[in-house]
Structure formats: structure tokens, C-alpha cells
């Protein structure tokens, strides 16, 4: 599946004094959460160090459409060998925005997930769910001028994990986003509206507020359904904005 692409603008040139807004760490889940067992060994024990942003933080890699394959954003066909993957076909789309609500264009959005039976295509995944030889479970795309992205995939299945006895992860898709600068780098997960396993997931329970949990749940979007083919979900992603003064010739979120 291909989405409309537009001419990719030149890289935004970082200037002295440019910074992104500081991240509010208090709004994120705590790194050390005993109920999420693996966090015990991999979470820091000392206070985080705040650093002044430099060119290495306020700039980032610039991507072009010719670096991506024609089917990179179609997980239904990009790994198919002798047929199509099994499972419910869905489209996921949305916008990548900065903290001011402005679109982040030409952002790289990478996704990876389990297949319809809840199994990843990874040698260390030993879940008894069946492997699908026609489903790779990963894709990537660039946002357009309006910060919009879209991809087609198979809805992933839930799977058990050894956090607690009979613990199950809700269906989810992993995201990694590269925006304008490295400090906009975001790795997160998307869940599906109506999944009853969301409320009992120990990872989701580390999120401080119900509002923030809802921000990770993709909502069904009937307007984007493909008749007799697939349903659609909308998932908007918000990155932190630039710390910039609104001036007559410089609007926040607009390249200068």
C-alpha cells in the first residue's frame, strides 16, 4: 500500500539557541516498577542528569523516500512468499505532531508486531502460537507534509508472558519515531480500542493517569474502512515541541 508522497523539504538548519521543550519526566511511567518484573533489574537507581541541548540533540537524521521500499508500509505483502498472511486486515493511520500541535513532516515511523496468533518472528519467541510464513511483522514509512502516516497490517494477537501466572499482553504494535531532532526520539506501543486485556496489563498499569492510557489506544475509524476488505484505526502521536519564541516571521513548528 502506498500513501501519497510529496517533495521532501531540505533539512531544517539548526541555529544557536535552538532547543526543544524539556520533557516532563513526571508524566511518564516510573522506570522502577516491581509489578512489571523486568523493570527491577534494568531500571536506573540514581537521579537522571539534565544536560543542555547541543547540535547533537536538536538535529537528527534526514530521510528520503527513495531509501524506503515500495511495500515498506504494507505489512500484509512486504514479507509474503507464497500467499497472504492469515488474520484480520486493518489499516492504521494518524498524524505525528509536535507539542504545539504542528505537523512533523518527513518523520520516520517504524512499526513491529506479533502475528495474528500472538507470535513474533524472532528466534527467541517460543510461544506455541503458529508462525505465519507470509508475515514478517515490521514496516516503516515517512510522514507527509501534513505529518500524516498510514500502513496496512494484520491485527496482532495477544500472548502470554511470564510476568505473573496467567498474565497476558493485550494486542499491540510497537512504534519508533524519529522527528526533527534526537531529543524527539520516541519509542512506544499502540493498543486497540475495546481490548479487555488493556486494563489488566502490568505494563499499562505503570502509566500515571487514565488520560495517558487513552493516548496509547487507537480508536476505530469507520471513515477509513475499506469495504469488504479491512477496518481502520486512528493513532495520533505527539512529540515534544520546540522551545521557541513566537515572532512575526517565525511560527512555532514552521521551518525557518
Amino acid at each position: 500500500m502506498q500513501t501519497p508522497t510529496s517533495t521532501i523539504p531540505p533539512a531544517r538548519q539548526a541555529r544557536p539557541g535552538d532547543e526543544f521543550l524539556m520533557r516532563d519526566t513526571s508524566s511518564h511511567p516510573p522506570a522502577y516498577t516491581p509489578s512489571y518484573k523486568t523493570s527491577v533489574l534494568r531500571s536506573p537507581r540514581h537521579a537522571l542528569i539534565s544536560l543542555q541541548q547541543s547540535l547533537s540533540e536538536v538535529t537528527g537524521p534526514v530521510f528520503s523516500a527513495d531509501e524506503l521500499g515500495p511495500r515498506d508500509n504494507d505489512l500484509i505483502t512486504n514479507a509474503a512468499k507464497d500467499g497472504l498472511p492469515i488474520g484480520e486486515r486493518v489499516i492504521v493511520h494518524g498524524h505525528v505532531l509536535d507539542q504545539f500541535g504542528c505537523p512533523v513532516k518527513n518523520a520516520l515511523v517504524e512499526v513491529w508486531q506479533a502475528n495474528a496468533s500472538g507470535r513474533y518472528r524472532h528466534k527467541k519467541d517460543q510461544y506455541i502460537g503458529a508462525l505465519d510464513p507470509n508475515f514478517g511483522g515490521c514496516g516503516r514509512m515517512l510522514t507527509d507534509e501534513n505529518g500524516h502516516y498510514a500502513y496496512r497490517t494484520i491485527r496482532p494477537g495477544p500472548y502470554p508472558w511470564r510476568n505473573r501466572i496467567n498474565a497476558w499482553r493485550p494486542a499491540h504494535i510497537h512504534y519508533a519515531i524519529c522527528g526533527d531532532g534526537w531529543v524527539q526520539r520516541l519509542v512506544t506501543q499502540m493498543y486497540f480500542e475495546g481490548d479487555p486485556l488493556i486494563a489488566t496489563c502490568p505494563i499499562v498499569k505503570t502509566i500515571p493517569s487514565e488520560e495517558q492510557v487513552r493516548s496509547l489506544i487507537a480508536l476505530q475509524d469507520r471513515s477509513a474502512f475499506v469495504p469488504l476488505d479491512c477496518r481502520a484505526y486512528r493513532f495520533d502521536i505527539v512529540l515534544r515541541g520546540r522551545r521557541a519564541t513566537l515572532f512575526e516571521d517565525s511560527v512555532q513548528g514552521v521551518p525557518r
Side-chain angles (χ1 to χ4, degrees):
M1 183 187 73
Q2 289 280 39
T3 54
T5 57
S6 53
T7 302
I8 295 173
R12 182 181 74 87
Q13 296 299 312
R15 305 194 311 185
D18 280 359
E19 283 194 34
F20 287 83
L21 293 179
M22 298 302 295
R23 193 181 301 279
D24 179 11
T25 56
S26 65
S27 67
H28 290 264
Y32 176 71
T33 310
S35 61
Y36 175 17
K37 290 171 64 175
T38 57
S39 75
V40 174
L41 295 179
R42 67 185 185 189
S43 57
R45 293 293 191 272
H46 300 288
L48 300 179
I49 299 173
S50 297
L51 299 175
Q52 185 73 28
Q53 294 175 17
S54 65
L55 284 178
S56 63
E57 284 77 45
V58 302
T59 57
V62 178
F63 305 96
S64 62
D66 58 12
E67 295 178 279
L68 277 62
R71 295 188 296 174
D72 279 6
N73 70 332
D74 190 352
L75 281 69
I76 291 178
T77 64
N78 66 14
K81 295 180 179 178
D82 54 5
L84 294 176
I86 296 172
E88 179 188 352
R89 298 151 66 96
V90 296
I91 290 173
V92 181
H93 75 106
H95 289 83
V96 177
L97 307 170
D98 69 15
Q99 192 165 322
F100 303 110
C102 299
V104 180
K105 57 186 177 182
N106 203 46
L108 177 66
V109 180
E110 299 174 290
V111 295
W112 65 99
Q113 61 170 91
N115 63 22
S117 71
R119 185 167 176 178
Y120 289 94
R121 191 173 180 174
H122 192 285
K123 63 182 180 180
K124 291 188 177 181
D125 189 343
Q126 300 300 313
Y127 174 44
I128 61 173
L131 280 174
D132 190 332
N134 295 306
F135 188 71
C138 58
R140 58 182 182 170
M141 64 234 71
L142 295 176
T143 58
D144 64 14
E145 289 284 319
N146 298 311
H148 185 257
Y149 74 93
Y151 61 97
R152 192 172 66 153
T153 190
I154 297 297
R155 177 165 171 157
Y159 57 83
W161 61 311
R162 297 184 180 276
N163 189 71
R164 290 287 187 271
I165 297 298
N166 204 27
W168 285 74
R169 295 258 27 235
H172 61 279
I173 297 177
H174 299 267
Y175 275 72
I177 300 98
C178 281
D180 291 333
W182 281 117
V183 292
Q184 272 190 330
R185 177 74 167 158
L186 175 66
V187 178
T188 189
Q189 298 181 22
M190 182 203 85
Y191 303 95
F192 292 86
E193 178 183 20
D195 189 338
L197 290 175
I198 295 174
T200 59
C201 177
I203 296 179
V204 176
K205 285 184 175 181
T206 67
I207 300 172
S209 73
E210 180 63 29
E211 180 182 4
Q212 290 165 315
V213 172
R214 289 197 299 269
S215 73
L216 297 179
I217 299 175
L219 301 180
Q220 183 174 263
D221 183 3
R222 294 188 63 89
S223 67
F225 280 21
V226 177
L228 304 179
D229 188 329
C230 58
R231 291 194 293 166
Y233 291 85
R234 176 164 179 164
F235 183 58
D236 291 333
I237 301 162
V238 179
L239 308 177
R240 59 168 147 192
R242 296 188 181 94
R243 178 181 294 159
T245 302
L246 185 62
F247 199 63
E248 291 178 339
D249 63 349
S250 178
V251 180
Q252 292 165 331
V254 177
R256 294 171 289 183

